[in-house]
Amino acid sequence: MGIATVTHVFAIAANSLWEMIGDFGDTGKWTGRPPEACVQEGSGIGAIRTLTLADGRVIVDRLEAHGEYYYSYSIVTSPLPVQSYRATMSVAPLTDDSCVFTWSGNIEPAGMTDEQSVAFFEDIYRMGIGLMNRTIAALHID
């Protein structure tokens, strides 16, 4: 089992970042993908979201936990190289106008080593943070 973790400090208030990323069923707010690329079924713990990637592949996630400034989810089905995967996205305030974002995942890989799976998912997390930064810049969030 591998554990991937990436953190990033954002120069915006924690509640502003969470408003953008905290909706399990609306990843389009921070990825820029169209609404039909993330469809949620159900609500609360156990809700399912279906993510359609730009290349047409589909990932199905289940919401496992949700609280103030965090949620955890697991992959139900995916083309990604995992047997099991559970991740948490969280935001913690640093000051009134800055926060730290953490994205971490416990990975049981399929077809790669633990080290390769950690590097693979950390790259995905960094790409996601890049999308968040792009969205923040476009919206001029302070």
Side-chain angles (χ1 to χ4, degrees):
M1 167 114 25
I3 300 172
T5 302
V6 172
T7 60
H8 183 79
V9 174
F10 286 94
I12 63 172
N15 64 331
S16 295
L17 182 62
W18 191 246
E19 185 176 307
M20 184 178 71
I21 69 164
D23 185 347
F24 175 72
D26 190 1
T27 59
K29 284 183 182 176
W30 57 272
T31 64
R33 301 270 299 133
E36 61 273 10
C38 180
V39 177
Q40 181 173 322
E41 297 174 35
S43 61
I45 306 305
I48 299 292
R49 72 176 175 199
T50 301
L51 302 168
T52 302
L53 306 177
D55 63 6
R57 294 180 300 159
V58 173
I59 299 171
V60 178
D61 296 328
R62 179 180 32 252
L63 184 63
E64 301 291 352
H66 191 280
E68 184 177 20
Y69 294 151
Y70 80 91
Y71 68 75
S72 298
Y73 63 95
S74 61
I75 290 178
V76 177
T77 60
S78 167
L80 300 176
V82 296
Q83 291 182 42
S84 70
Y85 173 84
R86 182 174 172 142
T88 299
M89 296 175 75
S90 65
V91 176
L94 292 175
T95 66
D96 287 347
D97 58 356
S98 69
C99 61
V100 63
F101 169 76
T102 303
W103 197 346
S104 62
N106 294 317
I107 310 143
E108 186 177 342
M112 62 173 59
T113 67
D114 287 347
E115 294 78 15
Q116 290 169 324
S117 70
V118 166
F120 178 83
F121 279 95
E122 286 180 351
D123 284 347
I124 290 172
Y125 300 166
R126 285 186 201 94
M127 183 177 62
I129 289 168
L131 293 171
M132 291 172 201
N133 275 318
R134 186 181 75 193
T135 300
I136 290 166
L139 296 175
H140 307 291
I141 298 173
D142 303 315

